[in-house]
Amino acid sequence: MEQVVVALDAMGGDYAPQETVRGAVDAVTENPEIKVILVGKEEQIRDCLSEYTYHEDRIEVVNATEVIDMGEVPTKAVREKKDSSLVVAMKLVREGRADAVVSAGSTGAILVGGQMIVGRIKGIKRPALAPFIPSRQGFSLLIDCGANVDARPEHLLQFAQMGSVYFEHVMGKKNPTVGIVNIGTEEEKGNQLVKETYPLLSGCGDIHFIGSVEAREIPEGGADILVCEAFVGNVILKFFEGLAKTFLGCIKEGLMSSLRTKMGALMIKPALKGLLNTFDVSSQGGAPLLGLKGLVVKAHGNSRSAEIKTAISQCITFKKNNINDRIRDMIQKG
Amino acid sequence: MEQVVVALDAMGGDYAPQETVRGAVDAVTENPEIKVILVGKEEQIRDCLSEYTYHEDRIEVVNATEVIDMGEVPTKAVREKKDSSLVVAMKLVREGRADAVVSAGSTGAILVGGQMIVGRIKGIKRPALAPFIPSRQGFSLLIDCGANVDARPEHLLQFAQMGSVYFEHVMGKKNPTVGIVNIGTEEEKGNQLVKETYPLLSGCGDIHFIGSVEAREIPEGGADILVCEAFVGNVILKFFEGLAKTFLGCIKEGLMSSLRTKMGALMIKPALKGLLNTFDVSSQGGAPLLGLKGLVVKAHGNSRSAEIKTAISQCITFKKNNINDRIRDMIQKG
């Protein structure tokens, strides 16, 4: 059994390091092939670790004295905080000591660090952050949701290619469908970027392009891979999150409004719970930053141990399926 | 009592002319100040009308032999189909025979016709489609949701100004808040358009600008007026629609899955129904196209008579509050 080594930014996220450390412990307990390197303030991490019994040969601690905060300017922070948990974790990937880095810290810093430290695959113009979002059919991959806005058509083409490789091997679905997020379904509709990207996607033999997907079709599973510019992708992702939360809040409020509804709520609870979990965007673990030489996974800022564990465990599939090699091969043959 | 004359594109929408005609009848029955001019194929319209008793002095029929279909290229359709219901209805506004036009037809054709036939207010660079979207606080005005994509910063500034005038007088809230839809809340975040627009909004004395609003805050009512480029606005609007529909579908499915849940459903039904209506985007009647010399209201393509009636009735508030005069004054003094 091949070992998958994950460098975890133990200081990243709203509930670090308590929840990150616990997520790491749970991940190695569940997956015998996982080894986690916890990167961050060693004393704090060891404090947290002391609460658990775990496979000591598969959890290592690497000290890093600094932390990149959410509010910092990403390029500056990555450049100046050389001993931050994120930067040190990424260096472990660059040096080949780890296969992947997982962080629930600042998205901007992860994007910048991924490119500056881990580095892009040769031929890739721009990496893309690609979370799965739930739909009634299962999941769609929304690519790009990062902070690299104002993309060009050739970037979107590569997003479609990388997304197809990733979806096919992670979801095990041959020839996944690719759609471009648009404001109408006719070819001549859309903004300049979409209009210029459309023929590139139509003409690309590597992907199964099905045309435009309107935002209203996304929740029903309009396409396996939803290609869009990062600003639009980020709006969709965050709006999904916000709307799901608001819906849930309203439903709960409605259910708790009287004795009658409280009784009704008890009867429907199990049925409703499954549904609500389905649409919890933040529970999907982490989103990979595709197009880099190593695996970089961004976990949600408010991740608890369960999400951290999922994000770590996802790295197994990624490594076993040689996603990066496949992406490189596809891009370099083109 | 001043009369408000609404030219209704009786042939526009999925359920025209049956539902449009019925909506018109209901609107004049409910509002003594409303007069509706039904524009479209006279014979069909009279057929529909014959089913109702109504105030004959306040419903008029104007014949138009053509119909613009949803799939047609807007500029071509508006230019060539001079006797289409939409074009004829818009001419009634231009000629001063009607105060407003309401249509559930092709958004593109309505935008093009609004600009070509009704005409822009002097000084307005671009009209904007501005629907209300529901939030937990009430409603937010999402401006622009039209098909005029790739806007420039000076357009977005005018959207903010027009939106503020409209919101203040329709919702009766002094100094409504304006936010720009962004992918982070810091000033330096966003795409090029947002970064260039931000200082224009900050420096504008006519509006109450509160900065960036992330998409996740929208459902909780992040700002009264949400300024964005049309592509992004359209994605938000359509995604809202799709997600609400999918949620409802899943909830219904969950509630009908067993005898136990069916019984529970009966007990919570009244409480849940109010919530679900709140988040039904399509029930909000129509969205005005702000910045034109007359009032142009776009109703949802799948409007039934109730939505058509609401869209017609909304024209009263618009006229009574002299929204267009106020917009003109604000823009021309600037």
Side-chain angles (χ1 to χ4, degrees), chain A residues 279-326:
Chain A
F279 283 100
D280 182 0
V281 186
S282 67
S283 73
Q284 308 310 324
L289 189 54
L290 297 178
L292 299 179
K293 285 184 215 158
L295 173 58
V296 174
V297 175
K298 155 79 184 133
H300 200 283
N302 69 13
S303 291
R304 299 279 185 174
S305 64
E307 288 80 39
I308 297 290
K309 187 193 75 182
T310 309
I312 294 171
S313 309
Q314 283 170 336
C315 299
I316 303 173
T317 321
F318 200 94
K319 186 180 179 188
K320 281 202 177 149
N321 286 285
N322 300 310
I323 304 288
N324 278 345
D325 293 344
R326 292 180 198 272

Tab-separated table of all heavy atoms in Angstrom, chain A residues 279-326:
chain	number	residue	atom	x	y	z
A	279	PHE	N	-27.617	19.602	0.606
A	279	PHE	CA	-27.390	20.947	0.089
A	279	PHE	C	-26.474	21.790	0.969
A	279	PHE	O	-26.440	22.997	0.849
A	279	PHE	CB	-28.728	21.647	-0.163
A	279	PHE	CG	-29.366	21.148	-1.423
A	279	PHE	CD1	-30.373	20.209	-1.387
A	279	PHE	CD2	-28.904	21.592	-2.651
A	279	PHE	CE1	-30.938	19.730	-2.557
A	279	PHE	CE2	-29.456	21.116	-3.826
A	279	PHE	CZ	-30.478	20.187	-3.783
A	280	ASP	N	-25.749	21.132	1.841
A	280	ASP	CA	-24.793	21.859	2.656
A	280	ASP	C	-23.465	21.935	1.907
A	280	ASP	O	-22.681	20.993	1.905
A	280	ASP	CB	-24.628	21.151	4.001
A	280	ASP	CG	-23.669	21.918	4.901
A	280	ASP	OD1	-23.156	22.974	4.469
A	280	ASP	OD2	-23.435	21.462	6.023
A	281	VAL	N	-23.258	23.058	1.246
A	281	VAL	CA	-22.080	23.206	0.391
A	281	VAL	C	-20.787	23.036	1.181
A	281	VAL	O	-19.811	22.475	0.699
A	281	VAL	CB	-22.059	24.606	-0.272
A	281	VAL	CG1	-20.923	24.709	-1.268
A	281	VAL	CG2	-23.375	24.879	-0.963
A	282	SER	N	-20.785	23.509	2.420
A	282	SER	CA	-19.532	23.526	3.168
A	282	SER	C	-19.114	22.139	3.634
A	282	SER	O	-17.988	21.939	4.065
A	282	SER	CB	-19.649	24.460	4.371
A	282	SER	OG	-20.557	23.937	5.305
A	283	SER	N	-20.011	21.160	3.515
A	283	SER	CA	-19.664	19.827	4.006
A	283	SER	C	-18.892	19.011	2.981
A	283	SER	O	-18.542	17.868	3.224
A	283	SER	CB	-20.926	19.064	4.394
A	283	SER	OG	-21.619	18.674	3.227
A	284	GLN	N	-18.644	19.593	1.815
A	284	GLN	CA	-18.034	18.812	0.740
A	284	GLN	C	-16.521	18.656	0.887
A	284	GLN	O	-15.839	18.275	-0.054
A	284	GLN	CB	-18.368	19.410	-0.632
A	284	GLN	CG	-19.857	19.657	-0.880
A	284	GLN	CD	-20.730	18.457	-0.577
A	284	GLN	OE1	-20.322	17.324	-0.825
A	284	GLN	NE2	-21.903	18.683	-0.014
A	285	GLY	N	-15.990	18.938	2.049
A	285	GLY	CA	-14.546	18.763	2.239
A	285	GLY	C	-13.789	19.900	1.609
A	285	GLY	O	-14.041	21.052	1.892
A	286	GLY	N	-12.880	19.577	0.717
A	286	GLY	CA	-12.048	20.625	0.146
A	286	GLY	C	-12.156	20.705	-1.362
A	286	GLY	O	-12.642	19.796	-2.009
A	287	ALA	N	-11.685	21.834	-1.893
A	287	ALA	CA	-11.646	22.013	-3.338
A	287	ALA	C	-10.189	22.024	-3.774
A	287	ALA	O	-9.378	22.735	-3.195
A	287	ALA	CB	-12.309	23.325	-3.721
A	288	PRO	N	-9.842	21.242	-4.803
A	288	PRO	CA	-8.455	21.251	-5.260
A	288	PRO	C	-8.169	22.484	-6.111
A	288	PRO	O	-9.066	23.020	-6.760
A	288	PRO	CB	-8.367	19.989	-6.122
A	288	PRO	CG	-9.736	19.844	-6.689
A	288	PRO	CD	-10.682	20.347	-5.612
A	289	LEU	N	-6.938	22.888	-6.076
A	289	LEU	CA	-6.459	23.932	-6.981
A	289	LEU	C	-5.799	23.171	-8.124
A	289	LEU	O	-4.678	22.686	-7.980
A	289	LEU	CB	-5.478	24.812	-6.214
A	289	LEU	CG	-4.992	26.099	-6.862
A	289	LEU	CD1	-6.144	26.982	-7.306
A	289	LEU	CD2	-4.131	26.879	-5.874
A	290	LEU	N	-6.527	23.022	-9.228
A	290	LEU	CA	-6.037	22.192	-10.330
A	290	LEU	C	-5.020	22.933	-11.193
A	290	LEU	O	-5.146	24.130	-11.416
A	290	LEU	CB	-7.203	21.727	-11.206
A	290	LEU	CG	-8.242	20.835	-10.524
A	290	LEU	CD1	-9.364	20.479	-11.507
A	290	LEU	CD2	-7.609	19.563	-9.978
A	291	GLY	N	-4.038	22.200	-11.672
A	291	GLY	CA	-3.050	22.786	-12.584
A	291	GLY	C	-1.684	22.988	-11.948
A	291	GLY	O	-0.788	23.534	-12.576
A	292	LEU	N	-1.549	22.539	-10.687
A	292	LEU	CA	-0.259	22.699	-10.006
A	292	LEU	C	0.523	21.384	-10.027
A	292	LEU	O	-0.041	20.310	-10.232
A	292	LEU	CB	-0.478	23.151	-8.570
A	292	LEU	CG	-1.195	24.498	-8.404
A	292	LEU	CD1	-1.376	24.809	-6.928
A	292	LEU	CD2	-0.426	25.615	-9.098
A	293	LYS	N	1.813	21.488	-9.744
A	293	LYS	CA	2.673	20.300	-9.771
A	293	LYS	C	2.422	19.370	-8.592
A	293	LYS	O	2.809	18.201	-8.613
A	293	LYS	CB	4.140	20.737	-9.764
A	293	LYS	CG	4.599	21.276	-11.109
A	293	LYS	CD	6.089	21.586	-11.034
A	293	LYS	CE	6.448	22.802	-11.851
A	293	LYS	NZ	7.700	23.419	-11.430
A	294	GLY	N	1.839	19.897	-7.544
A	294	GLY	CA	1.455	19.059	-6.417
A	294	GLY	C	-0.007	19.317	-6.134
A	294	GLY	O	-0.611	20.202	-6.741
A	295	LEU	N	-0.566	18.552	-5.208
A	295	LEU	CA	-1.977	18.767	-4.904
A	295	LEU	C	-2.112	19.819	-3.802
A	295	LEU	O	-1.501	19.712	-2.747
A	295	LEU	CB	-2.611	17.451	-4.452
A	295	LEU	CG	-4.054	17.545	-3.941
A	295	LEU	CD1	-4.980	18.139	-4.982
A	295	LEU	CD2	-4.550	16.168	-3.523
A	296	VAL	N	-2.918	20.828	-4.076
A	296	VAL	CA	-3.231	21.843	-3.079
A	296	VAL	C	-4.738	21.831	-2.888
A	296	VAL	O	-5.488	21.985	-3.849
A	296	VAL	CB	-2.757	23.240	-3.536
A	296	VAL	CG1	-3.212	24.319	-2.559
A	296	VAL	CG2	-1.237	23.273	-3.685
A	297	VAL	N	-5.181	21.605	-1.647
A	297	VAL	CA	-6.614	21.529	-1.381
A	297	VAL	C	-7.019	22.645	-0.432
A	297	VAL	O	-6.432	22.817	0.639
A	297	VAL	CB	-6.995	20.163	-0.759
A	297	VAL	CG1	-8.472	20.137	-0.357
A	297	VAL	CG2	-6.690	19.033	-1.730
A	298	LYS	N	-8.032	23.397	-0.858
A	298	LYS	CA	-8.563	24.477	-0.026
A	298	LYS	C	-9.806	23.947	0.691
A	298	LYS	O	-10.770	23.540	0.041
A	298	LYS	CB	-8.909	25.661	-0.945
A	298	LYS	CG	-9.967	26.624	-0.429
A	298	LYS	CD	-9.406	27.588	0.583
A	298	LYS	CE	-10.530	28.482	1.153
A	298	LYS	NZ	-10.497	28.582	2.603
A	299	ALA	N	-9.760	23.941	2.016
A	299	ALA	CA	-10.953	23.555	2.779
A	299	ALA	C	-11.683	24.830	3.195
A	299	ALA	O	-11.092	25.916	3.242
A	299	ALA	CB	-10.552	22.741	4.004
A	300	HIS	N	-12.946	24.716	3.459
A	300	HIS	CA	-13.753	25.876	3.838
A	300	HIS	C	-13.214	26.503	5.121
A	300	HIS	O	-12.784	25.800	6.028
A	300	HIS	CB	-15.198	25.429	4.058
A	300	HIS	CG	-16.180	26.558	3.980
A	300	HIS	ND1	-16.357	27.445	4.999
A	300	HIS	CD2	-17.009	26.941	2.991
A	300	HIS	CE1	-17.276	28.336	4.645
A	300	HIS	NE2	-17.696	28.055	3.431
A	301	GLY	N	-13.244	27.820	5.187
A	301	GLY	CA	-12.713	28.536	6.349
A	301	GLY	C	-13.347	28.114	7.660
A	301	GLY	O	-12.698	28.111	8.709
A	302	ASN	N	-14.625	27.738	7.609
A	302	ASN	CA	-15.274	27.348	8.868
A	302	ASN	C	-15.301	25.833	9.073
A	302	ASN	O	-16.154	25.312	9.801
A	302	ASN	CB	-16.676	27.964	8.978
A	302	ASN	CG	-17.644	27.375	7.989
A	302	ASN	OD1	-17.370	26.353	7.367
A	302	ASN	ND2	-18.787	28.007	7.829
A	303	SER	N	-14.356	25.132	8.439
A	303	SER	CA	-14.294	23.674	8.570
A	303	SER	C	-14.122	23.242	10.016
A	303	SER	O	-13.312	23.799	10.756
A	303	SER	CB	-13.112	23.125	7.762
A	303	SER	OG	-13.325	23.263	6.386
A	304	ARG	N	-14.878	22.227	10.369
A	304	ARG	CA	-14.671	21.516	11.635
A	304	ARG	C	-13.856	20.262	11.314
A	304	ARG	O	-13.533	20.009	10.154
A	304	ARG	CB	-16.029	21.127	12.248
A	304	ARG	CG	-16.917	22.316	12.560
A	304	ARG	CD	-16.509	22.937	13.858
A	304	ARG	NE	-17.421	24.018	14.227
A	304	ARG	CZ	-17.360	24.651	15.379
A	304	ARG	NH1	-16.435	24.335	16.276
A	304	ARG	NH2	-18.189	25.636	15.657
A	305	SER	N	-13.599	19.447	12.334
A	305	SER	CA	-12.742	18.280	12.106
A	305	SER	C	-13.277	17.364	11.003
A	305	SER	O	-12.499	16.803	10.232
A	305	SER	CB	-12.571	17.503	13.410
A	305	SER	OG	-13.814	16.993	13.835
A	306	ALA	N	-14.585	17.229	10.901
A	306	ALA	CA	-15.150	16.321	9.888
A	306	ALA	C	-14.774	16.773	8.478
A	306	ALA	O	-14.417	15.951	7.623
A	306	ALA	CB	-16.669	16.249	10.032
A	307	GLU	N	-14.841	18.077	8.226
A	307	GLU	CA	-14.507	18.585	6.890
A	307	GLU	C	-12.999	18.476	6.632
A	307	GLU	O	-12.578	18.179	5.520
A	307	GLU	CB	-14.950	20.048	6.732
A	307	GLU	CG	-16.457	20.234	6.612
A	307	GLU	CD	-17.187	20.198	7.935
A	307	GLU	OE1	-16.649	20.746	8.910
A	307	GLU	OE2	-18.281	19.591	7.998
A	308	ILE	N	-12.222	18.723	7.661
A	308	ILE	CA	-10.770	18.583	7.507
A	308	ILE	C	-10.427	17.125	7.193
A	308	ILE	O	-9.637	16.840	6.289
A	308	ILE	CB	-10.037	19.047	8.792
A	308	ILE	CG1	-10.284	20.546	9.062
A	308	ILE	CG2	-8.548	18.740	8.715
A	308	ILE	CD1	-9.626	21.499	8.087
A	309	LYS	N	-11.063	16.229	7.904
A	309	LYS	CA	-10.833	14.800	7.665
A	309	LYS	C	-11.185	14.450	6.216
A	309	LYS	O	-10.417	13.770	5.519
A	309	LYS	CB	-11.694	13.961	8.618
A	309	LYS	CG	-11.406	12.477	8.560
A	309	LYS	CD	-12.482	11.670	9.270
A	309	LYS	CE	-13.747	11.618	8.423
A	309	LYS	NZ	-14.847	10.899	9.060
A	310	THR	N	-12.329	14.907	5.752
A	310	THR	CA	-12.729	14.637	4.363
A	310	THR	C	-11.710	15.207	3.382
A	310	THR	O	-11.323	14.545	2.412
A	310	THR	CB	-14.114	15.256	4.073
A	310	THR	OG1	-15.019	14.851	5.092
A	310	THR	CG2	-14.646	14.828	2.725
A	311	ALA	N	-11.296	16.440	3.631
A	311	ALA	CA	-10.341	17.084	2.720
A	311	ALA	C	-9.029	16.296	2.658
A	311	ALA	O	-8.440	16.114	1.585
A	311	ALA	CB	-10.078	18.519	3.155
A	312	ILE	N	-8.587	15.792	3.802
A	312	ILE	CA	-7.356	14.995	3.833
A	312	ILE	C	-7.560	13.674	3.090
A	312	ILE	O	-6.741	13.266	2.269
A	312	ILE	CB	-6.912	14.727	5.294
A	312	ILE	CG1	-6.515	16.043	5.986
A	312	ILE	CG2	-5.760	13.724	5.341
A	312	ILE	CD1	-6.266	15.914	7.485
A	313	SER	N	-8.700	13.041	3.355
A	313	SER	CA	-8.955	11.726	2.754
A	313	SER	C	-9.069	11.810	1.235
A	313	SER	O	-8.682	10.885	0.511
A	313	SER	CB	-10.242	11.119	3.336
A	313	SER	OG	-10.193	11.152	4.753
A	314	GLN	N	-9.610	12.947	0.737
A	314	GLN	CA	-9.737	13.130	-0.717
A	314	GLN	C	-8.395	13.023	-1.438
A	314	GLN	O	-8.344	12.690	-2.623
A	314	GLN	CB	-10.303	14.527	-1.018
A	314	GLN	CG	-11.798	14.660	-0.795
A	314	GLN	CD	-12.238	16.126	-0.867
A	314	GLN	OE1	-11.442	17.023	-0.642
A	314	GLN	NE2	-13.503	16.347	-1.180
A	315	CYS	N	-7.338	13.323	-0.724
A	315	CYS	CA	-6.020	13.313	-1.369
A	315	CYS	C	-5.639	11.925	-1.863
A	315	CYS	O	-4.849	11.783	-2.805
A	315	CYS	CB	-4.958	13.846	-0.409
A	315	CYS	SG	-5.275	15.543	0.114
A	316	ILE	N	-6.197	10.898	-1.246
A	316	ILE	CA	-5.891	9.526	-1.668
A	316	ILE	C	-6.330	9.315	-3.119
A	316	ILE	O	-5.549	8.872	-3.959
A	316	ILE	CB	-6.595	8.488	-0.760
A	316	ILE	CG1	-6.195	8.700	0.703
A	316	ILE	CG2	-6.270	7.073	-1.206
A	316	ILE	CD1	-6.985	7.828	1.685
A	317	THR	N	-7.594	9.627	-3.381
A	317	THR	CA	-8.126	9.455	-4.741
A	317	THR	C	-7.308	10.238	-5.746
A	317	THR	O	-7.028	9.777	-6.850
A	317	THR	CB	-9.581	9.985	-4.814
A	317	THR	OG1	-10.254	9.638	-3.623
A	317	THR	CG2	-10.303	9.439	-6.012
A	318	PHE	N	-6.973	11.448	-5.367
A	318	PHE	CA	-6.235	12.318	-6.268
A	318	PHE	C	-4.888	11.705	-6.638
A	318	PHE	O	-4.512	11.636	-7.794
A	318	PHE	CB	-6.025	13.675	-5.581
A	318	PHE	CG	-5.712	14.792	-6.519
A	318	PHE	CD1	-6.734	15.596	-7.005
A	318	PHE	CD2	-4.415	15.058	-6.920
A	318	PHE	CE1	-6.460	16.644	-7.882
A	318	PHE	CE2	-4.130	16.098	-7.792
A	318	PHE	CZ	-5.156	16.903	-8.270
A	319	LYS	N	-4.184	11.217	-5.613
A	319	LYS	CA	-2.862	10.645	-5.875
A	319	LYS	C	-2.977	9.322	-6.635
A	319	LYS	O	-2.273	9.090	-7.611
A	319	LYS	CB	-2.104	10.431	-4.561
A	319	LYS	CG	-0.671	9.968	-4.821
A	319	LYS	CD	0.153	9.740	-3.593
A	319	LYS	CE	1.559	9.261	-4.018
A	319	LYS	NZ	2.348	8.854	-2.856
A	320	LYS	N	-3.896	8.455	-6.181
A	320	LYS	CA	-4.025	7.128	-6.799
A	320	LYS	C	-4.366	7.225	-8.274
A	320	LYS	O	-4.017	6.359	-9.065
A	320	LYS	CB	-5.106	6.324	-6.084
A	320	LYS	CG	-4.606	5.722	-4.788
A	320	LYS	CD	-5.454	4.545	-4.379
A	320	LYS	CE	-4.877	3.936	-3.109
A	320	LYS	NZ	-5.920	3.344	-2.262
A	321	ASN	N	-5.111	8.259	-8.634
A	321	ASN	CA	-5.529	8.394	-10.025
A	321	ASN	C	-4.585	9.251	-10.854
A	321	ASN	O	-4.881	9.554	-12.001
A	321	ASN	CB	-6.945	8.959	-10.086
A	321	ASN	CG	-7.974	7.925	-9.690
A	321	ASN	OD1	-8.273	7.023	-10.465
A	321	ASN	ND2	-8.487	8.023	-8.472
A	322	ASN	N	-3.474	9.619	-10.251
A	322	ASN	CA	-2.473	10.410	-10.971
A	322	ASN	C	-3.081	11.599	-11.699
A	322	ASN	O	-2.807	11.835	-12.877
A	322	ASN	CB	-1.754	9.539	-12.014
A	322	ASN	CG	-1.062	8.371	-11.371
A	322	ASN	OD1	-0.324	8.544	-10.398
A	322	ASN	ND2	-1.320	7.179	-11.889
A	323	ILE	N	-3.954	12.316	-11.006
A	323	ILE	CA	-4.667	13.416	-11.661
A	323	ILE	C	-3.683	14.401	-12.307
A	323	ILE	O	-3.854	14.795	-13.459
A	323	ILE	CB	-5.573	14.158	-10.647
A	323	ILE	CG1	-6.556	13.195	-9.975
A	323	ILE	CG2	-6.300	15.312	-11.326
A	323	ILE	CD1	-7.667	12.688	-10.822
A	324	ASN	N	-2.650	14.756	-11.580
A	324	ASN	CA	-1.728	15.752	-12.121
A	324	ASN	C	-1.004	15.266	-13.372
A	324	ASN	O	-0.828	16.021	-14.323
A	324	ASN	CB	-0.718	16.181	-11.054
A	324	ASN	CG	-1.305	17.236	-10.140
A	324	ASN	OD1	-2.334	17.836	-10.461
A	324	ASN	ND2	-0.672	17.466	-9.005
A	325	ASP	N	-0.593	13.988	-13.374
A	325	ASP	CA	0.063	13.449	-14.568
A	325	ASP	C	-0.887	13.480	-15.751
A	325	ASP	O	-0.509	13.813	-16.875
A	325	ASP	CB	0.511	11.999	-14.324
A	325	ASP	CG	1.627	11.937	-13.287
A	325	ASP	OD1	2.237	12.991	-13.013
A	325	ASP	OD2	1.875	10.834	-12.750
A	326	ARG	N	-2.132	13.130	-15.496
A	326	ARG	CA	-3.115	13.102	-16.586
A	326	ARG	C	-3.375	14.508	-17.132
A	326	ARG	O	-3.538	14.706	-18.331
A	326	ARG	CB	-4.434	12.506	-16.093
A	326	ARG	CG	-4.329	11.023	-15.773
A	326	ARG	CD	-5.687	10.512	-15.286
A	326	ARG	NE	-5.572	9.251	-14.586
A	326	ARG	CZ	-5.612	8.052	-15.196
A	326	ARG	NH1	-5.755	7.982	-16.503
A	326	ARG	NH2	-5.506	6.951	-14.485
